[in-house]
Amino acid sequence: MSSVEAHQEQLPQSDPFPSPSSCSSFELIDMDAGSLYEPVSPHWFYCKIIDSKETWIPFNSDDSQQLEEAYGSGKDCSGAVVATDGGRYDVHLGERVRHAVYWDEPASEVRRCTWFYKGDKDNKYVPYSESFSQVLEETYMLAVTLDEWKKKLESPNREIIILHNPKLMVHYQPIAGSDEWGSTPTEQGRPRTVKRGVENISVDIHFGEPFQIDHLVFVVHGIGPACDLRFRSIVQCVNDFRSVSLNLLQTHFKKAQENEQIGRVEFLPVNWHSPLHSTGVDVDLQRITLPSINRLRHFTNDTILDVFFYNSPTYCQTIVDTVVSEMNRIYTLFLQRNPDFKGGVSIAGHSLGSLILFDILTNQKDSLGDIDSEKDSLNIVMDHGDTANLEEDLKKLQLSEFFNIFAKEKVDKEALALCTDRDLQEMGIPLGPRKKIINYFKSRSSLLGITRPGMQSAPRVNLPREAEPCGSTDATRKDGCLDVSIGQVSVKYPRLIYKPEIFFAFGSPIGMFLTVRGLKRIDPNYKFPTCKGFFNIYHPFDPVAYRIEPMVAPGVEFEPMLIPHHKGRKRMHLGKEGLTRMSMDLKNNLLGSLRMAWKSFTRTPYPALQAETADEAEAEPESSSEQASDVSTEEPCAAGKGELPPINVGMLNRGQRIDYVLQEKPIESFNEYLFALQSHLCYWESEDTVLLVLKEIYQTQGVFLDQPLQ
């Protein structure tokens, strides 16, 4: 008890601090003087720096109990490590620090908390240190046992805490004095509330996450280090995405959870921005950056230039290597920490991140054997540049007279296989022999599944990085239906060590980049070599998002699939003829537009995920263009009196629809431009987006929503 006596003293009758009756800001409750002492229940917290301020956040109830059990086990805690937050963080109990497992993040202080005081600038409670909390608890125990209150303690930083009674305990900060002796700890400051036990403070403590993990999703960010308007990192945004998914599992998959059919989906972030900008490129850019409008130029260098980096062969290789190696590393570590995991893996990308994943997926091989066979095929076709074999091939083609020309230009068999028609023409080869040579290598390459420059390639064939040309002739673009890898930066794409089941693209510019690269049409038979599903999800006002389906079926106009509201209803203002038209009518003529506004609310909106009935699809003639049929390969939708034939949206998503559009909020419909930037960054907290992701993932496992959304 010596530690208690050193920190406390009985207040004299002339106590300068206000008595309980004078503290009007505190609510007093009559206390039973004979109440028995009960030990306080501890709860574990960790400290995070948020907006340059220390914020203490409670562990969820399961993690706190797990930490307390390890603390009270009687064993040496110095080497104890406890996995928390669904296994994404490890707490080193002896050091009282919390470390991230899958990504780089500063370590957080961890504290076993029992006593709290209210902070200065907000109403959040701050825990006392563990040692001083123990002193407070011992003092409280003596006061309750002996029924002797008005105990005064001095904290290590010379602040005063007074225990008036079990329900009134205050903390005073000293006010600096001006006398010759300096400030003293007895000088009165503004009182702050002191609370004992986490149950007496206002803080949200969540339940733990389900232990079972059904599916793993890697999330790749877009340009820049910040992923939303609050300038948060990809880790924080994915945390929000995961939290929304846990809430939706409880509300929309309740039956499956009660029957223990499902656990949860784990979302893990993949960061490529930091490794890219740690290569020294920022220093090089800084040397050439003008000093004016410093903040705007810094934003451009740190964010906008990521698009140009991806189109540079040097930095594109860095980005691709980083994304693939990070996903492979995290996947390997995840399996080590979750040896019983039997679920699948999917990938999701936002903005430029979706394009990176698209390019990676188009350059994957179906198995390890494919990579070896591809290398063997290249050796067969190219023969390592053996000019002797080139001479034999020219003899077969009855073109031996041109061998000396190729020898003079130092063109071996490998180089000749890469030559275009224009290259041969510049070497003086006549038209007839040129066609023979090109046709010969074309036939050899087709047998081995290899595409060479200057040839019209089938879209289903992926171009190996080792043999990819820098460009192509106009002849390759006559039908506009080329390999999806056309125009990609010439880099070597690493291989993923797993096969993703579904690829989700949020606010994706994939369609625009493919068009700029020269691809006019995606062959309906094309699909990713290792990934079966593909969903292009976007907000209607997202300025970066583009559609994919019109590139598969360019001759047919049809609307994207409308994502249902997560509460199972449609917003009243759906489509162009909703609140947007109503707002314009109200601006022009408030009274005269009431009838038109009523019609706008009753018109059929975009097609929903489930096909509309024929009666619902009947529309007025003037709005038929806005009510294009939701045409699916499974359930075509009727429009007017006739029925449109099913639209072939290709095999990118197993023959199912690819483009999915969110419903804009009513306030967003009044001015699309005001909410354009926000629309590009809305996906992290969008319940509709998360629910679609969960729905498609669990459908692959035979688990469905409790009630279908309409």
Side-chain angles (χ1 to χ4, degrees), residues 140 194 204 247 254 369 591 616:
Y140 178 86
V194 176
D204 293 330
N247 294 333
K254 188 175 182 180
L591 297 177
E616 292 173 334

Side-chain angles (χ1 to χ4, degrees), residues 29 74 270 344 356 576 594:
I29 302 177
V270 177
I356 297 171
K576 294 283 185 182
L594 291 178

Side-chain angles (χ1 to χ4, degrees), residues 66-336:
Q66 191 177 2
L67 289 167
E68 185 63 22
E69 290 175 355
Y71 173 82
S73 62
K75 301 178 182 178
D76 184 13
C77 296
S78 59
V81 178
V82 179
T84 62
D85 301 274
R88 296 179 297 276
Y89 289 88
D90 281 342
V91 172
H92 295 253
L93 210 56
E95 302 172 8
R96 294 292 198 272
V97 290
R98 172 177 176 263
H99 293 282
V101 173
Y102 298 107
W103 55 83
D104 292 331
E105 181 180 306
S108 304
E109 180 187 352
V110 173
R111 191 173 290 180
R112 183 177 181 264
C113 305
T114 53
W115 286 77
F116 307 83
Y117 66 92
K118 187 172 289 188
D120 287 328
K121 298 181 180 179
D122 51 30
N123 292 325
K124 294 182 179 179
Y125 280 87
V126 179
Y128 288 104
S129 65
E130 292 187 34
S131 58
F132 189 66
S133 293
Q134 185 177 357
V135 174
L136 284 169
E137 184 63 22
E138 292 174 355
T139 305
Y140 178 86
M141 180 183 65
L142 283 177
V144 171
T145 304
L146 302 178
D147 195 20
E148 296 179 358
W149 293 97
K150 292 192 176 181
K151 301 284 186 178
K152 183 173 68 173
L153 296 90
E154 181 180 340
S155 69
N157 54 354
R158 305 190 69 194
E159 297 179 349
I160 302 300
I161 295 92
I162 301 177
L163 310 183
H164 289 288
N165 61 51
K167 294 295 181 181
L168 179 57
M169 296 171 281
V170 290
H171 178 134
Y172 292 95
Q173 281 185 312
I175 300 176
S178 58
D179 57 13
E180 59 183 355
W181 300 102
S183 61
T184 62
T186 59
E187 289 168 325
Q188 181 176 339
R190 185 172 62 86
R192 291 184 290 180
T193 307
V194 176
K195 294 292 184 180
R196 175 179 179 265
V198 70
E199 64 275 4
N200 292 317
I201 66 174
S202 56
V203 62
D204 293 330
I205 299 178
H206 302 284
F207 294 104
E209 301 175 12
F211 179 76
Q212 175 185 333
I213 300 176
D214 305 317
H215 203 86
L216 176 63
V217 180
F218 293 112
V219 184
V220 180
H221 66 85
I223 61 173
C227 297
D228 66 357
L229 291 177
R230 287 174 281 176
F231 298 98
R232 298 185 304 165
S233 67
I234 180 63
V235 173
Q236 294 170 302
C237 291
V238 172
N239 286 344
D240 276 352
F241 202 89
R242 187 188 306 108
S243 298
V244 173
S245 73
L246 292 173
N247 294 333
L248 291 174
L249 286 175
Q250 295 176 359
T251 56
H252 291 72
F253 293 87
K254 188 175 182 180
K255 293 179 181 178
Q257 280 197 332
E258 290 176 349
N259 296 332
E260 298 183 353
Q261 289 180 272
I262 63 173
R264 63 184 175 92
V265 176
E266 180 62 280
F267 297 90
L268 296 178
V270 177
N271 181 11
W272 56 265
H273 180 270
S274 298
L276 170 66
H277 288 262
S278 63
T279 58
V281 65
D282 287 352
V283 178
D284 298 335
L285 285 172
Q286 189 60 38
R287 287 199 297 264
I288 61 175
T289 300
L290 302 183
S292 60
I293 51 173
N294 183 52
R295 292 185 179 180
L296 180 58
R297 295 188 191 278
H298 175 74
F299 173 78
T300 301
N301 290 349
D302 201 34
T303 303
I304 305 298
L305 288 189
D306 284 351
V307 178
F308 298 96
F309 285 141
Y310 187 66
N311 286 282
S312 160
T314 301
Y315 295 107
C316 179
Q317 187 70 64
T318 301
I319 294 172
V320 169
D321 289 344
T322 301
V323 171
V324 174
S325 63
E326 271 296 284
M327 290 196 291
N328 287 343
R329 179 190 67 83
I330 296 174
Y331 179 69
T332 302
L333 182 57
F334 178 83
L335 292 182
Q336 292 174 358

Side-chain angles (χ1 to χ4, degrees), residues 401-619:
E401 66 270 24
F402 299 107
F403 176 74
N404 291 333
I405 296 178
F406 295 132
K408 181 180 178 181
E409 297 290 338
K410 297 183 180 180
V411 175
D412 54 19
K413 189 171 182 179
E414 180 180 359
L416 184 57
L418 295 173
C419 288
T420 63
D421 184 81
R422 180 175 296 179
D423 295 332
L424 297 175
Q425 184 178 4
E426 291 176 353
M427 285 187 283
I429 309 297
L431 178 61
R434 292 203 308 268
K435 295 300 181 182
K436 285 185 178 182
I437 293 172
I438 290 175
N439 183 66
Y440 174 74
F441 282 102
K442 177 181 178 181
S443 60
R444 293 291 301 273
S445 301
S446 299
L447 291 174
L448 297 167
I450 300 173
T451 306
R452 64 179 298 280
M455 296 180 186
Q456 184 173 328
S457 58
R460 62 182 177 275
V461 178
N462 284 328
L463 195 62
R465 296 296 94 198
E466 294 83 358
E468 185 183 52
C470 297
S472 58
T473 63
D474 293 337
T476 61
R477 295 179 180 152
K478 287 183 178 179
D479 65 351
C481 184
L482 303 175
D483 193 320
V484 294
S485 62
I486 187 172
Q488 291 178 1
V489 179
S490 181
V491 299
K492 185 173 182 179
Y493 287 86
R495 187 178 186 276
L496 296 170
I497 59 176
Y498 56 85
K499 294 182 179 181
E501 293 190 4
I502 307 175
F503 168 35
F504 298 98
F506 305 140
S508 173
I510 292 174
M512 180 269 291
F513 271 87
L514 293 180
T515 302
V516 170
R517 290 171 178 176
L519 183 67
K520 297 181 179 179
R521 180 171 179 257
I522 299 175
D523 191 289
N525 295 322
Y526 177 79
K527 58 184 178 181
F528 296 123
T530 60
C531 183
K532 298 179 181 178
F534 176 35
F535 290 85
N536 183 37
I537 302 169
Y538 61 92
H539 189 284
F541 302 155
D542 188 339
V544 180
Y546 289 81
R547 292 192 62 184
I548 296 293
E549 290 174 339
M551 298 189 70
V552 182
V556 183
E557 293 185 4
F558 54 100
E559 297 291 348
M561 296 290 282
L562 185 71
I563 301 176
H565 193 274
H566 66 283
K567 292 185 178 179
R569 56 177 171 81
K570 299 176 184 176
R571 299 187 189 273
M572 64 179 182
H573 62 285
L574 294 177
K576 294 283 185 182
E577 297 161 339
L579 202 55
T580 303
R581 175 176 290 184
M582 177 184 173
S583 63
M584 293 300 297
D585 291 341
L586 291 176
K587 291 176 185 177
N588 295 332
N589 189 339
L590 179 62
L591 297 177
S593 64
L594 291 178
R595 186 167 176 267
M596 289 297 298
W598 173 253
K599 288 183 179 181
S600 70
F601 284 131
T602 58
R603 286 173 184 157
T604 306
Y606 288 132
L609 286 177
Q610 296 183 352
E612 306 284 351
T613 62
D615 293 338
E616 292 173 334
E618 291 181 358

Side-chain angles (χ1 to χ4, degrees), residues 11-17 150:
L11 287 181
Q13 294 298 325
S14 59
D15 182 17
F17 294 95
K150 292 192 176 181

